[in-house]
Amino acid sequence: MATEQPAADHTDDIQREIGHDEYNPVGTLALVFIYFVIVSMLWIFVYFVEFLGRISPMVVF
Amino acid sequence: MGVFADRYPDEAKVVRAALASSFLALLIGGAMGPLQTLHRIDYLRIMPSESYYTVLTLHGVALVILFTIFFLVGFYQWAVTDSLDRPAEDIRFTWLWYGLMSLGALMASLAILGGFTDATDISASVLFTFYAPLEAHWLFYVGLTTFIIGTWLAGADWFRSWWNWKKENKGEKTPLRTFMVLTTMLMWYLATIGVASAVLFFLLPWSLGIVDSVNPLLTRTLFWYFGHPVVYFWLLPVYMIWYVILPQIAGGRLFSDALARIVFVLFLVLSVPVGIHHQYLDPGIAEGFKFLSASNTMFLLLPSLLTAFTVVASIEHGARQRGGEGYFRWLTVLPWRNPAFTGMALAGLMFAAAGFSGMVNAGMNLNYLVHNTMWVPGHFHLTVGTAVALTIMAVTYWFLPRITGNPIFSMRLGLVQVLTWFVGMVLMSNAMHRVGVGGEPRRTADPFYDFEFEGVIGSIGELHLQIGLGALILTLSLVLFFIHLIFSWFGISSTTKITSEAAIRKPLSGKEHAPAVLENFRLWVAIAAVLIVLVYTIPIASIIVDGGLFGPDVAPVRPDHAPLFGLSGLSLSTEWLVAGAAGAVGAIAAIAGVLR
């Protein structure tokens, strides 16, 4: 005999409703800041790869 | 409310058919992956190097054209029907475009498969980037054209639904999902002008022998006119999933409806006038126009960065509603045991990394360093190979019960599947980027020549090991996905029926706050058209003036073919197929038995 159930959606896990005005996405700010730091560091690394690591067509010594 | 499959049984059938085509292409294209990877790094060579290009074409076309676009049309059909809450206008027309797409896909696939045997002169080993002077059999071009006409009709079908909905709902703003579908399709109409002109005016007459020669730079430019926006055609359904479904699974609400609409409008405006950034190394296009495309491409980072904010903020909202606290602790209360959530979150994480390697590709000077190296396949295995493919696989764990009425076979197996994809791709893609920086070329079966490549850190041999290992883990993940898919789709070993689903929760800032001008599609298409004219008119005119419309007498290049596995016919392949199928059935039964 087939049993019936709803599609899983985690609606039951919600403990409180947070509206537009009460919500401040500070966690998102923290993660975006970390991404910004990583990308900045990678750009500094690219400077070494591109300009100092080899004689590239863009830099004529 | 009732499950989609019960509310709209006819439309659900089309959605299932499109998804079945999509996953069949994933299976075929995915199976080519390990074959070419292991060949390239010289670990396992079971085919002659000439077949590498046929395998690579099948891998590319099956995955980035058939898998992604068949999924898109199925998913968008659901999005339009569900969000407008109205059936398809004429289900026979809906089946017509699906039929055309399938017919086109079949023709293009047969043309590519012809490259594996010398029993026929049909072949299309021209790679996914099928511009001249590589020439395919006409069946390939006719197949692709038929496929694309199918997608145009699909767009027309959705516009027709929207127009009729508008008549009955005067003054109301278009529901978000339908808005996303329409902007994507408008972008697609603009983008496919390039590939349609390349195929209909040049490549097809050339392959039929009507014209003797084509201008390769012209067909390249027309291809890339389409070749960059097509990546957003893969990506935009994934963005819809991240905006609409991911917050739903996280227990939250979309942060801002207006922001989501602005992102889609920006993609409509900016996707096309950037294609020349794939041609930084092409002689015959002036540097100034390359720079224009470079700056347009940097503007395209804006909608992706807006998406990063909106999607993460919407997930965080879910975490806060589930009781999450602090700057980082909220991350721990998210539903990480749900493969749909974890898969999409990891896909998004990889997309953030891809954003960086994409900035390198888009920058004119840095592009010279990585152009035509393995860096570029490393990049797009993060974007289409993970952000898109992993999201599609992950969302299946959410989507399938809604369109089949059957429950997911095993969430645990799903979780293992998405995690193995992530781990495999971290290994493979990272190492591909690094051998690329070391100078190893792409698009070749034998990348070594007599040259010793050097990695910046670590040896090339070690990186090849990572690429091979990554590819094998990805193959394992794909096998798990298909086992799971078959068991879930057909409800094998389950007596439960899914009969109801929760409605998509309203955004925190709803559509009433979205500016009315966003609905003015004519305005956005006009701006996009002006940008395209500005960026492309002079370069294309100068290409034609320099090389002639039909080129400076360029003879076609039809790559030599050696039959796969050294077989001259296909007779032995049947035995391989039977043995493979028997092995697969055994493996499915064994793994299902262990994990159930």
Side-chain angles (χ1 to χ4, degrees), chain B residues 353-374:
Chain B
F356 173 72
S357 65
M359 288 179 221
V360 170
N361 297 342
M364 268 177 86
N365 53 341
L366 284 174
N367 184 287
Y368 294 155
L369 189 72
V370 295
H371 201 99
N372 281 336
T373 70
M374 280 303 282

Side-chain angles (χ1 to χ4, degrees), chain A residues 23-45:
Chain A
Y23 176 48
N24 275 324
V26 287
T28 304
L29 180 71
L31 292 183
V32 168
F33 181 72
I34 290 174
Y35 183 63
F36 176 75
V37 169
I38 292 172
V39 168
S40 306
M41 279 165 41
L42 283 169
W43 270 113
I44 294 167
F45 171 68

Side-chain angles (χ1 to χ4, degrees), chain B residues 12 61 175 307 327 377:
Chain B
V61 173
T307 299
Y327 280 100

